[in-house]
Amino acid sequence: MAQCVQSVQELIPDSFVPCVAALCSDEAERLTRLNHLSFAELLKPFSRLTSEVHMRDPNNQLHIIKNLKIAVSNIITQPPQPGAIRKLLNDVVSGSQPAEGLVANVITAGDYDLNISDRSIKASVPWYSNWKDTLMELKESSLYTATTPWFESYRETFLQSMPASDHEFLNHYLACMLVASSNEVEPMEQFSKLSQEQHRIQHNNDYSYPKWFIPNTLKYYVLLHDVSAGDEQRAELIYEEMKQKYGTQGCYLLKINSRTSNRASDEQIPDPWSQYLQKSSIQNQESYEDGPCTITSNKNSDSNLLSLDGLDNEVKVDGLPNNFRAHPLQLDQSSDPSNSIDGPDHVKSASSLHETKKANTGIIHGACLTLTDHDRIRQFIQEFTFRGLLPHIEKTIRQLNDQLISRKGLSRSLFSATKKWFSGSKVPEKSINELKNTSGLLYPPEAPELQIRKMADLCFLVQHYDLAYSCYHTAKKDFLNDQAMLYAAGALEMAAVSAFLQPGAPRPYPAHYMDTAIQTYRDICRNMVLAERCVLLSAEILKSQSKYSEAAALLIRLTSEDSDLRSALLLEQAAHCFINMKSPMVRKYAFHMILAGHRFSKAGQKKHALRCYCQAMQVYKGKGWSLAEDHINFTIGRQSYTLRQLDNAVSAFRHILINESKQSAAQQGAFLREYLYVYKNVSQLSPDGPLPQLPLPYINSSATRVFFGHDRRPADGEKQAATHVSLDQEYDSESSQQWRELEEQVVAVVNKGIIPSGFYPTQYCLNSYSDNSRFPLAVVEEPITVEVAFRNPLKVPLLLTDLSLLWKFQPKDFSGKDNEEVKELITGEPEMIGTEVISEFLINSEESKVARLKLFPHHIGELHILGVVYNLGTIQGSMTVDGIGALPGCHTGKYSLGMSVRGRQDLEIQGPRLNNTKEEKTSIKYGPDRRLDPIITEEMPLLEVFFIHFPTGLLCGEIRKAYVEFVNVSKCPLTALKVVSKRPEFFTFGGNTAVLTPLSPSASENCSAYKTVVTDSTSVCTALISSASSVDFGIGMGSQPEVIPVPLPDTVLLPGASVQLPMWLRGPDEEGVHEINFLFYYESVKKQPKIRHRILRHTAVICTSRSLNVRATVCRSNSLEDEEGRGGNMLVFVDVENTNTSEAGVKEFHIVQVSSSSKHWQLQNSVNLAENKEAKLASREKGKFCFKAVRCKEKEAAMQSSEWYTFADIIFGNEQIISSASPCADFFYRSLSSELKKPQAQLSLHTEKHSIEDAVRLIQKCSEVDLNIIILWKAYVVEDSKQLILEGQHHVILRTIGKEAFSYPQKQELPEMELLKFFRPENTAVSSRPSVDQLSNLIKTSLHYPESFNHPFHQKSLCLVPVTLLLSNCSKADVDVIVDLRHKTTSPEALEIHGSFTWLGQTQYKLQLKSQEIHSLQLKACFVHTGVYNLGTPRVFAKLSDQVTVFETSQQNSMPALIIINNI
């Protein structure tokens, strides 16, 4: 149970006090009325004695009574009606509410912190230690107050308003005060009249009410004297007369009204009456002289006050609507007899306590009384109790004791006999179920059993609990023997209470007595009022003994359908019991609070019902019991709405909707409609207030995307717009990084190789992955699209209407002063920012959907996008539709809209978590996210790019001509247009030469992409020479080949102008699907401070299929023709294979031309033996070509510093493609530059001597060659029974003699797995010796001799043959050469290889060859037999002149030099 202000030891004696009647003359009543009080009310604050009282028991033992209180009330001759009592109790409970605005109790129970909202105590009750200790601490605390004051008010009022009954005497009148005024004409006569009136009421059979304790009621005569107006002397005389007649113990002169009421303002006198008057009860009904008071109960009591003016007792009701004038439990005055009681007194029925409180606030009670008067009244009560009441009670107890002894024939007093009764053997009590239902049995008033009960009650009232218990116990036995169940239950109840209250606790509290009494009252006597009293007392007693479980069970047992208010209060107390246990049962607490709330609601106690549900919600919240939460929130919403707490109602309904609901669709629809209805009422209260926040649909703020710019145009026939950026594209971190790199590359080129410090990559689409730490830049007159991600968590569709963005705009002039005028909201300034409104936006059940909302900025400044504003509604009949299927035309048709409310939702995006500094790592900090705060800048040019005849599929190496159109759609001219791509070898706009040379007629006839010239047949198979500079093709020294300027005429594109340029494409060398990114860069002619440049992106997707594979090798020619003293000729072998599969429809490939391009070498002619003019390759065929290459002429070689390349074309048809012109040379240079970018194997530089390193480099250069081969081909394709001719080119880059090169990229073979080494390798220096292959190329040797030689051996036995050894220095340094002619005789097999011949003359020659010098040695070979001999035995050693180390040139590569010696 909740903690109470009073302990149970104080509560029970205060609930059962001696009752005294008051009967006043009219004049006496008038005197008290001057203070706005009746006589009984006047005494109320002073009715508790301030000192201990003594009396003697029947055994003459002294008995002390502490804190005795008496109850004085006006005589009412008719018992209050149950309906009136119910109404009073209802008012008492509704009038006692938790105070608002005070600190709530926070009770920590296990894992829960419970707010039990009432007064200013903060009770952190540690259940886990000792509850009793805590309770004592709380009681001692000055802050301590009750947690359920409404229950205590109810209990107090209930106990006071219990009608007197015949089976008990506790609330029967013991005495009667007869009050007359000293102003009466005949006061003594008035006393006689009053005495007769009292006698008539008590002894006349017409009056069954009130009840009197004994026939001989104590009459106490009180003379009231008005000090300010009366004659004091006369009063004293009358008092003397009274003493003569009634004795000094039976009368009293009470002086009051020591001042007049109009002096009230001079001095502030305390008002002790107001607290008592608020608790007006039926028992103490005031008798008003002016008739019944009008009763008004006001539901909306906060706004209307009732005021009582003076003695008129008028009730003013201001502005109360008629339907509020009746309380839900209000009794009708005219028809209910309880409000018009026959008898001498007019009755004021109890009005609503809440209003009485208000009414009494304006009235000063006791205005004519001074503090001296207060003391006199206190003294009067003391005198009455000491001299009148207690002696009367003491005498009555003795009389009853004597009567009982005499009637029972007992020799000793009852008090001394109790031991005998209790110590003897007990007769087992019959259980209730065995007893007959004889609750209707009535004893006559003189019955000895009733005398025992009377005596017990008297002892109980004067706190003599030992004697009371003895008497109750005796009476209980007698009643049970007589089977008078009502009487027995009463005796059991009071016996249990007496046993508990006995000082020193000689026996435990007999809870089973109470249980039996409750069961008897409830089941046999059908008297729920008495059963309820038992439960209230017993529960308090059990609670004081920390028996919370038993107390809860008792309280719950009495809940029934007959009284919702009682059930609600008892369930609430049971809930408090559960939470006060040693190990708190928090869920039981919550469950019983819910039950209590339900019963409060049925009883019309809406505020209490709401409070119970709110307190239970603390337990159920966040535990995953969603259905329970929904029920509680729904009820809280309903109750709050009824109480006009609309904000609370909205909040509760909002919770139902925003939690992941497990309710059915129909239930969710009901919740939503209820929410909208409540919301509508709230918004109608303040139509001009700020828009409220709506809970639905959910918005995933972090998924909000912002796009700056126009939507992409759809493809128009052959015209295809650049893909650029759009909201339809998924974010890809890899591609965004590529775009960033491309932009950095082009910005670096524009800024002479340096990226400016203020550079920031352009972002057209901002999302959760982009860098949103800076304010994004938007351009005036270009739309801003915000994509908002909505999700509908409900199973019912939601319809949003008039959906638009909410924004705040601050116009600013970025060049000059700020204009601090702030325009806000959509309605503000459409000429500043245009706003798109989506009229209808349907989100189906449990659907996630994005809405794209646009803003059109018309002014520069700072824009802040705050959120979205819309009408939230449902579709009528939407409960029947199931998903999308039942809603045809979801986004086009008008829906029949149900209820809707207008509101907003804010877009609040949390930035990324910061994790850079130590402080950021140790704390949780988030950076800013500014994607919704764009800065609107001045006008900028806007480029649109269209691709015309752009292919989607190509053969590898195929050349295709397309057109690209550039359009400036803004009002500003643009310039510095460039395009950057990671794959510059894929496309070209043509070199500078393309503009100079017009297309030849034959090229246009054949629709060729190449520039061609018709050739005559004589020049077949010999090379046609031309030359071109790589600078013309954008591949200069130190240039960036990826950044290509677009050749705009006049380099400027004016507003509205468009330019079409040809664009040649070449299919990539690898087959498959290729995504090629183009980034177009452009600037405004007028420089802008905020935006320096703009970009446009395009991603082309090309699918390539296989065509030709080309591989080539180059080797030195051994022939000595045409050498002209220079470094020799070379042979180039080219293998071409048709790898195309027939799916592409390619019939055959024709090799139409082979061209070379180099700074030093050129193809001279074809040395193919067969004069096959047409080189055709069908599917999977391979062709072999051999060409002779020679060095370029000296004058051409001299131009090599200026990046001039010599092109030589060898033609296999009748048309020459000029390979040094666009687009052939463009693609060649682009492939060359991409090849040059690949990392080349470099020798380590960590050698000791640089001289060795230089030597190695010189030797390496001998084997290097820079010859590039271009294969030009045509492919014949059959498509749709038409023959098409495709053309293309492949490139092979030859770098090293003898090494095979390919036209297509080779797949790198993965190295085989090696075992891990767990030791550090020694730091071995890289060997500075060149490889064998490189050495063999340092000196070129060739032997010149006759193939066969005839010699007559019979004439001359020795045959001498002249042999010339040619030594050619291939390097550009001086070389020392040693020629050794001695045979190596390392093994016997060596002789067999070259046979037995010898060289005559010097066996060793030492020579020095200058750079690229050729030297011939005349040698003689001597033979003695015929046969075939190998002359290739001379060993040649070479070293660079300035080097010490000798490198032997290896002769393994040289061909065998065979000679045939014949005999003649």
Side-chain angles (χ1 to χ4, degrees):
M1 279 176 89
Q3 289 79 52
C4 303
V5 175
Q6 286 182 308
S7 70
V8 67
Q9 284 84 0
E10 296 166 345
L11 168 73
I12 295 174
D14 275 6
S15 303
F16 300 101
V17 293
C19 294
V20 179
L23 201 54
C24 301
S25 69
D26 292 346
E27 183 61 25
E29 190 69 25
R30 188 188 69 78
L31 286 182
T32 58
R33 278 279 155 222
L34 293 172
N35 297 294
H36 300 118
L37 299 163
S38 69
F39 179 72
E41 288 171 347
L42 183 74
L43 303 183
K44 238 177 200 161
F46 312 103
S47 59
R48 190 185 293 282
L49 299 187
T50 53
S51 58
E52 292 180 352
V53 193
H54 299 239
M55 66 173 282
R56 293 192 177 275
D57 62 21
N59 279 355
N60 219 25
Q61 297 291 319
L62 195 65
H63 172 60
I64 299 168
I65 307 168
K66 294 179 182 176
N67 284 331
L68 182 65
K69 181 182 174 187
I70 62 169
V72 182
S73 56
N74 295 333
I75 291 179
I76 296 162
T77 55
Q78 185 167 329
Q81 294 299 308
I85 295 175
R86 276 201 304 274
K87 179 187 175 313
L88 171 69
L89 292 173
N90 204 69
D91 289 343
V92 164
V93 173
S94 64
S96 180
Q97 298 289 345
E100 291 174 12
L102 293 174
V103 181
N105 287 359
V106 179
I107 295 185
T108 306
D111 298 334
Y112 299 88
D113 286 333
L114 302 179
N115 256 328
I116 298 182
S117 171
D118 63 318
R119 302 277 194 271
S120 58
I121 176 174
K122 186 161 184 178
S124 295
V125 184
W127 318 103
Y128 31 81
S129 66
N130 190 334
W131 161 246
K132 210 163 185 180
D133 294 352
T134 311
L135 192 63
M136 295 315 292
E137 282 172 33
L138 289 172
K139 281 173 69 177
E140 289 158 18
S141 160
S142 58
L143 287 173
Y144 178 74
T145 56
T147 57
T148 50
W150 48 92
F151 172 69
E152 287 168 61
S153 302
Y154 170 86
R155 186 180 59 199
E156 185 184 337
T157 309
F158 171 79
L159 291 170
Q160 284 179 3
S161 63
M162 283 196 73
S165 57
D166 290 327
H167 77 287
E168 63 180 17
F169 305 96
L170 290 162
N171 52 1
H172 291 197
Y173 285 132
L174 274 165
C176 181
M177 290 182 182
L178 304 171
V179 189
S181 166
S182 61
N183 294 348
E184 308 261 2
V185 183
E186 290 290 342
M188 297 305 287
E189 192 181 318
Q190 188 65 43
F191 279 127
S192 299
K193 279 184 188 172
L194 291 171
S195 180
Q196 288 164 18
E197 178 74 16
Q198 188 274 330
H199 190 274
R200 186 171 67 83
I201 290 170
Q202 182 174 355
H203 297 292
N204 192 334
N205 289 336
D206 294 345
Y207 296 102
S208 62
Y209 199 85
K211 306 283 185 187
W212 302 87
F213 208 100
I214 48 175
N216 184 17
T217 302
L218 169 69
K219 291 178 184 170
Y220 196 76
Y221 299 89
V222 182
L223 183 66
L224 270 186
H225 175 61
D226 189 328
V227 177
S228 60
D231 183 350
E232 194 162 341
Q233 200 174 353
R234 179 170 185 257
E236 292 288 350
L237 288 171
I238 297 165
Y239 181 48
E240 286 300 323
E241 193 178 339
M242 286 166 67
K243 283 199 276 189
Q244 296 289 328
K245 185 172 182 181
Y246 305 121
T248 52
Q249 310 289 329
C251 57
Y252 193 83
L253 171 62
L254 177 59
K255 297 178 180 178
I256 58 168
N257 297 356
S258 297
R259 62 177 187 168
T260 53
S261 59
N262 58 5
R263 291 175 54 227
S265 57
D266 302 345
E267 186 184 353
Q268 282 296 320
I269 298 290
D271 178 5
W273 290 274
S274 54
Q275 57 177 317
Y276 293 97
L277 292 180
Q278 284 170 15
K279 299 174 182 175
S280 63
S281 71
I282 299 286
Q283 186 70 21
N284 305 336
Q285 287 179 38
E286 303 98 353
S287 52
Y288 283 175
E289 292 176 315
D290 300 318
C293 164
T294 312
I295 297 166
T296 310
S297 175
N298 172 21
K299 266 168 108 175
N300 200 1
S301 54
D302 293 334
S303 57
N304 304 287
L305 299 179
L306 293 157
S307 58
L308 290 166
D309 275 339
L311 293 169
D312 301 336
N313 295 331
E314 288 178 8
V315 179
K316 294 183 180 172
V317 182
D318 296 329
L320 285 176
N322 289 331
N323 58 334
F324 281 158
R325 293 202 174 184
H327 191 278
L329 299 175
Q330 170 83 32
L331 298 170
D332 187 62
Q333 251 188 310
S334 57
S335 60
D336 197 317
S338 66
N339 284 354
S340 51
I341 297 168
D342 298 331
D345 300 314
H346 293 296
V347 178
K348 171 182 179 285
S349 187
S351 66
S352 169
L353 188 131
H354 204 63
E355 280 70 56
T356 311
K357 196 186 292 184
K358 299 272 185 189
N360 290 339
T361 52
I363 298 169
I364 300 169
H365 300 289
C368 302
L369 301 176
T370 62
L371 290 174
T372 314
D373 291 335
H374 290 195
D375 291 337
R376 285 176 184 148
I377 298 168
R378 202 175 284 111
Q379 184 65 35
F380 159 63
I381 295 290
Q382 298 269 84
E383 286 291 320
F384 166 69
T385 311
F386 286 1
R387 294 172 181 272
L389 185 63
L390 284 178
H392 175 68
I393 291 173
E394 192 178 318
K395 186 177 77 176
T396 310
I397 289 175
R398 284 180 187 281
Q399 284 175 0
L400 288 169
N401 191 37
D402 294 345
Q403 277 179 33
L404 290 171
I405 290 168
S406 62
R407 285 187 187 175
K408 292 268 185 182
L410 301 174
S411 58
R412 284 167 293 172
S413 75
L414 182 65
F415 187 64
S416 58
T418 50
K419 284 182 187 172
K420 175 183 159 188
W421 295 341
F422 292 126
S423 58
S425 60
K426 292 186 179 177
V427 178
E429 295 176 9
K430 295 178 183 177
S431 78
I432 283 195
N433 298 332
E434 294 171 28
L435 297 169
K436 297 197 308 249
N437 184 358
T438 53
S439 57
L441 176 67
L442 289 174
Y443 289 99
E446 305 80 27
E449 291 84 0
L450 286 189
Q451 304 310 312
I452 298 180
R453 171 70 205 233
K454 261 185 194 175
M455 183 175 165
D457 284 351
L458 266 180
C459 293
F460 188 87
L461 289 172
V462 294
Q463 300 173 15
H464 201 318
Y465 299 118
D466 293 343
L467 187 52
Y469 177 79
S470 305
C471 297
Y472 284 132
H473 200 276
T474 309
K476 174 205 68 158
K477 283 191 168 181
D478 292 345
F479 293 142
L480 283 174
N481 287 336
D482 296 340
Q483 296 192 356
M485 298 315 297
L486 179 64
Y487 295 88
L492 280 165
E493 175 190 3
M494 296 314 294
V497 175
S498 303
F500 171 71
L501 289 173
Q502 277 178 357
R507 56 180 61 81
Y509 168 62
H512 59 289
Y513 278 16
M514 274 295 196
D515 294 344
T516 309
I518 293 165
Q519 206 171 340
T520 307
Y521 282 142
R522 191 183 65 191
D523 300 339
I524 296 173
C525 309
R526 308 280 180 207
N527 191 327
M528 291 303 286
V529 175
L530 292 169
E532 183 178 352
R533 184 180 71 185
C534 276
V535 166
L536 292 176
L537 295 175
S538 185
E540 283 294 337
I541 292 167
L542 290 169
K543 184 191 83 172
S544 72
Q545 298 176 334
S546 297
K547 293 180 179 173
Y548 292 105
S549 181
E550 293 87 336
L554 196 64
L555 291 161
I556 293 166
R557 200 182 309 156
L558 203 70
T559 55
S560 61
E561 290 303 315
D562 63 320
S563 170
D564 288 315
L565 182 64
R566 178 184 71 234
S567 300
L569 287 160
L570 297 186
L571 283 166
E572 184 182 15
Q573 293 306 307
H576 282 283
C577 286
F578 287 124
I579 208 172
N580 282 345
M581 289 179 180
K582 203 164 188 178
S583 50
M585 302 169 97
V586 182
R587 289 200 294 272
K588 268 199 166 181
Y589 158 79
F591 180 64
H592 284 84
M593 284 305 265
I594 295 288
L595 296 177
H598 176 63
R599 298 305 290 269
F600 271 130
S601 180
K602 285 176 74 178
Q605 298 283 350
K606 303 294 182 192
K607 285 187 179 176
H608 285 295
L610 178 60
R611 178 184 50 73
C612 287
Y613 275 101
C614 289
Q615 287 182 9
M617 188 61 185
Q618 297 171 90
V619 176
Y620 288 112
K621 189 168 56 183
K623 297 291 179 296
W625 296 10
S626 61
L627 295 177
E629 274 191 68
D630 287 353
H631 168 76
I632 296 169
N633 273 317
F634 185 69
T635 312
I636 289 173
R638 275 271 174 96
Q639 298 288 10
S640 300
Y641 180 70
T642 311
L643 292 167
R644 310 304 293 163
Q645 297 177 9
L646 297 179
D647 289 343
N648 290 353
V650 166
S651 173
F653 283 120
R654 181 191 179 93
H655 274 293
I656 305 177
L657 297 174
I658 62 175
N659 291 334
E660 294 294 340
S661 177
K662 294 183 174 64
Q663 302 282 4
S664 65
Q667 190 63 51
Q668 287 181 358
F671 285 159
L672 181 59
R673 285 195 300 277
E674 194 97 17
Y675 170 77
L676 294 175
Y677 176 71
V678 172
Y679 217 114
K680 212 168 182 63
N681 283 327
V682 174
S683 54
Q684 282 168 359
L685 291 178
S686 54
D688 302 328
L691 279 174
Q693 294 281 346
L694 292 172
L696 290 173
Y698 288 0
I699 291 180
N700 182 0
S701 288
S702 64
T704 303
R705 297 196 295 164
V706 184
F707 176 68
F708 302 100
H710 296 277
D711 291 342
R712 180 171 170 256
R713 289 197 198 173
D716 177 18
E718 287 294 319
K719 261 193 183 186
Q720 178 192 349
T723 54
H724 195 39
V725 187
S726 79
L727 285 168
D728 298 323
Q729 296 166 1
E730 289 296 319
Y731 176 80
D732 176 17
S733 60
E734 202 175 313
S735 82
S736 68
Q737 180 60 28
Q738 279 180 17
W739 288 118
R740 184 187 176 126
E741 286 168 8
L742 287 173
E743 188 175 355
E744 284 176 356
Q745 212 170 343
V746 68
V747 168
V749 168
V750 169
N751 290 282
K752 301 180 177 62
I754 301 157
I755 295 176
S757 57
F759 168 73
Y760 188 62
T762 309
Q763 297 187 120
Y764 283 108
C765 184
L766 300 178
N767 51 31
S768 53
Y769 305 105
S770 55
D771 178 6
N772 304 324
S773 57
R774 303 185 185 201
F775 292 104
L777 300 173
V779 177
V780 72
E781 304 298 345
E782 289 186 22
I784 299 168
T785 309
V786 179
E787 183 182 88
V788 184
F790 290 110
R791 182 168 73 84
N792 177 7
L794 302 183
K795 297 185 178 83
V796 291
L798 295 176
L799 184 60
L800 312 186
T801 53
D802 297 341
L803 171 64
S804 61
L805 288 170
L806 198 61
W807 47 266
K808 188 169 75 177
F809 182 64
Q810 194 168 349
K812 278 199 174 178
D813 181 7
F814 292 111
S815 54
K817 296 172 184 173
D818 286 359
N819 172 16
E820 284 303 327
E821 176 194 5
V822 175
K823 307 283 183 192
E824 203 164 329
L825 300 181
I826 307 112
T827 51
E829 294 287 335
E831 65 268 13
M832 286 281 183
I833 307 284
T835 308
E836 181 190 45
V837 178
I838 297 177
S839 59
E840 283 190 352
F841 187 75
L842 179 76
I843 312 174
N844 278 303
S845 60
E846 297 180 329
E847 182 188 16
S848 294
K849 192 172 176 183
V850 294
R852 290 179 184 166
L853 298 156
K854 287 187 180 173
L855 294 177
F856 302 94
H858 303 312
H859 198 284
I860 61 171
E862 292 175 7
L863 177 66
H864 301 281
I865 298 163
L866 306 175
V868 287
V869 60
Y870 55 93
N871 296 326
L872 172 64
T874 56
I875 301 171
Q876 280 185 341
S878 62
M879 293 313 106
T880 55
V881 307
D882 183 17
I884 303 167
L887 291 169
C890 271
H891 305 284
T892 53
K894 287 276 182 190
Y895 307 106
S896 90
L897 179 65
M899 189 178 295
S900 74
V901 293
R902 189 147 187 85
R904 64 186 279 179
Q905 274 202 71
D906 291 342
L907 290 170
E908 291 168 351
I909 304 173
Q910 188 179 57
R913 176 154 179 202
L914 301 174
N915 204 24
N916 299 325
T917 64
K918 186 182 178 185
E919 184 191 355
E920 287 169 357
K921 286 176 181 173
T922 51
S923 60
I924 297 176
K925 285 189 175 178
Y926 293 93
D929 191 303
R930 299 201 168 103
R931 67 183 101 155
L932 295 175
D933 303 319
I935 292 171
I936 314 296
T937 63
E938 293 173 15
E939 273 192 315
M940 283 290 289
L942 185 62
L943 175 72
E944 281 192 4
V945 177
F946 298 96
F947 297 90
I948 303 160
H949 303 303
F950 201 88
T952 53
L954 290 171
L955 293 172
C956 291
E958 181 189 342
I959 306 285
R960 189 79 65 88
K961 188 176 185 179
Y963 287 90
V964 59
E965 184 177 10
F966 298 97
V967 186
N968 182 356
V969 293
S970 68
K971 295 178 183 173
C972 304
L974 66 86
T975 185
L977 178 58
K978 292 177 173 51
V979 60
V980 60
S981 173
K982 284 267 187 256
R983 304 282 293 271
E985 69 274 14
F986 170 68
F987 70 98
T988 178
F989 290 109
N992 296 347
T993 55
V995 185
L996 306 174
T997 40
L999 285 173
S1000 58
S1002 56
S1004 56
E1005 280 168 28
N1006 299 340
C1007 300
S1008 172
Y1010 290 114
K1011 181 183 173 194
T1012 57
V1013 175
V1014 179
T1015 56
D1016 57 341
S1017 56
T1018 55
S1019 60
V1020 171
C1021 296
T1022 55
L1024 300 168
I1025 310 298
S1026 60
S1027 62
S1029 168
S1030 62
V1031 178
D1032 289 339
F1033 294 91
I1035 317 291
M1037 294 294 283
S1039 72
Q1040 283 269 13
E1042 289 94 345
V1043 180
I1044 299 155
V1046 176
L1048 286 178
D1050 305 328
T1051 69
V1052 173
L1053 196 58
L1054 295 172
S1058 68
V1059 170
Q1060 263 194 27
L1061 294 175
M1063 183 187 207
W1064 287 270
L1065 308 171
R1066 177 175 179 269
D1069 287 320
E1070 292 174 75
E1071 69 165 331
V1073 178
H1074 301 267
E1075 278 196 1
I1076 296 161
N1077 292 336
F1078 298 93
L1079 186 136
F1080 295 94
Y1081 166 103
Y1082 57 98
E1083 296 174 5
S1084 173
V1085 173
K1086 179 185 163 192
K1087 292 286 177 269
Q1088 299 287 4
K1090 291 274 183 191
I1091 306 180
R1092 301 254 176 108
H1093 67 271
R1094 300 194 83 178
I1095 60 168
L1096 178 71
R1097 301 175 184 175
H1098 176 62
T1099 301
V1101 179
I1102 298 286
C1103 180
T1104 55
S1105 48
R1106 286 188 283 187
S1107 57
L1108 298 178
N1109 273 357
V1110 182
R1111 53 178 68 193
T1113 48
V1114 60
C1115 56
R1116 293 192 189 281
S1117 165
N1118 280 339
S1119 65
L1120 291 170
E1121 302 143 27
D1122 307 326
E1123 295 209 348
E1124 301 171 13
R1126 292 180 295 113
N1129 301 340
M1130 292 208 268
L1131 291 178
V1132 179
F1133 297 94
V1134 179
D1135 289 1
V1136 183
E1137 183 186 359
N1138 176 0
T1139 56
N1140 183 264
T1141 47
S1142 54
E1143 291 112 38
V1146 180
K1147 268 202 316 187
E1148 59 185 5
F1149 285 90
H1150 287 217
I1151 310 299
V1152 293
Q1153 183 172 316
V1154 177
S1155 299
S1156 72
S1157 170
S1158 171
K1159 292 182 186 177
H1160 310 107
W1161 296 87
Q1162 65 189 48
L1163 293 182
Q1164 192 179 37
N1165 56 5
S1166 168
V1167 290
N1168 275 25
L1169 295 173
E1171 289 286 325
N1172 180 10
K1173 278 189 72 175
E1174 290 187 351
K1176 294 182 184 176
L1177 292 175
S1179 181
R1180 313 305 293 182
E1181 282 187 347
K1182 190 183 276 190
K1184 211 170 182 67
F1185 299 87
C1186 181
F1187 303 97
K1188 182 179 174 185
V1190 295
R1191 282 191 181 272
C1192 298
K1193 303 280 190 291
E1194 282 295 334
K1195 62 171 186 184
E1196 291 164 15
M1199 294 171 70
Q1200 62 191 12
S1201 58
S1202 60
E1203 300 292 325
W1204 277 89
Y1205 282 73
T1206 301
F1207 288 83
D1209 302 335
I1210 293 178
I1211 304 154
F1212 292 94
N1214 56 0
E1215 225 175 18
Q1216 178 200 355
I1217 294 169
I1218 300 173
S1219 57
S1220 59
S1222 288
C1224 179
D1226 293 270
F1227 289 115
F1228 158 67
Y1229 280 124
R1230 281 180 176 27
S1231 68
L1232 185 66
S1233 68
S1234 64
E1235 189 70 26
L1236 288 170
K1237 275 198 301 184
K1238 291 178 185 169
Q1240 301 296 328
Q1242 292 292 327
L1243 265 177
S1244 171
L1245 301 177
H1246 297 291
T1247 48
E1248 289 83 0
K1249 296 179 181 173
H1250 282 286
S1251 55
I1252 294 178
E1253 187 188 312
D1254 295 340
V1256 171
R1257 186 79 198 96
L1258 280 166
I1259 292 167
Q1260 274 179 355
K1261 279 193 112 167
C1262 292
S1263 59
E1264 282 180 7
V1265 63
D1266 63 335
L1267 179 61
N1268 307 297
I1269 305 295
I1270 305 169
I1271 311 289
L1272 295 132
W1273 50 262
K1274 283 187 180 174
Y1276 291 86
V1277 179
V1278 177
E1279 192 176 277
D1280 301 334
S1281 70
K1282 285 183 189 172
Q1283 180 165 312
L1284 300 175
I1285 301 176
L1286 306 179
E1287 49 196 351
Q1289 65 189 61
H1290 280 78
H1291 313 115
V1292 183
I1293 294 165
L1294 293 163
R1295 295 190 180 280
T1296 311
I1297 293 173
K1299 190 173 177 187
E1300 196 169 29
F1302 303 89
S1303 66
Y1304 50 93
Q1306 295 298 299
K1307 285 179 183 168
Q1308 294 288 324
E1309 286 186 15
L1310 290 171
E1312 289 181 16
M1313 257 194 227
E1314 292 181 7
L1315 288 173
L1316 281 174
K1317 294 175 182 173
F1318 292 96
F1319 56 88
R1320 183 182 294 175
E1322 291 174 23
N1323 194 6
T1324 52
V1326 178
S1327 167
S1328 59
R1329 286 186 70 84
S1331 67
V1332 175
D1333 286 351
Q1334 290 168 343
L1335 283 171
S1336 65
N1337 289 321
L1338 186 60
I1339 297 288
K1340 190 171 98 171
T1341 60
S1342 66
L1343 289 164
H1344 286 241
Y1345 55 90
E1347 282 183 23
S1348 64
F1349 196 82
N1350 298 329
H1351 179 72
F1353 280 99
H1354 59 274
Q1355 292 178 7
K1356 215 174 180 182
S1357 58
L1358 291 179
C1359 172
L1360 299 179
V1361 179
V1363 176
T1364 305
L1365 173 62
L1366 274 180
L1367 298 170
S1368 174
N1369 179 3
C1370 296
S1371 75
K1372 295 194 176 182
D1374 295 354
V1375 178
D1376 292 345
V1377 182
I1378 297 171
V1379 180
D1380 191 351
L1381 299 177
R1382 288 172 297 183
H1383 296 309
K1384 271 186 180 175
T1385 51
T1386 48
S1387 63
E1389 292 88 6
L1391 286 169
E1392 292 171 16
I1393 295 172
H1394 45 69
S1396 52
F1397 84 96
T1398 52
W1399 295 100
L1400 299 182
Q1402 275 177 262
T1403 56
Q1404 202 174 43
Y1405 294 88
K1406 286 190 179 179
L1407 308 166
Q1408 185 176 48
L1409 297 182
K1410 301 281 183 217
S1411 168
Q1412 296 189 339
E1413 182 188 344
I1414 299 171
H1415 190 274
S1416 62
L1417 275 178
Q1418 301 300 323
L1419 305 175
K1420 279 187 180 170
C1422 177
F1423 302 90
V1424 293
H1425 293 297
T1426 57
V1428 179
Y1429 296 89
N1430 181 10
L1431 295 177
T1433 62
R1435 286 182 297 150
V1436 181
F1437 299 90
K1439 76 175 182 69
L1440 297 174
S1441 298
D1442 53 353
Q1443 292 290 317
V1444 181
T1445 323
V1446 175
F1447 305 133
E1448 179 179 352
T1449 56
S1450 167
Q1451 293 301 313
Q1452 280 80 9
N1453 291 357
S1454 61
M1455 312 260 303
L1458 299 177
I1459 187 168
I1460 304 166
I1461 304 295
N1462 297 320
N1463 189 10
I1464 301 171

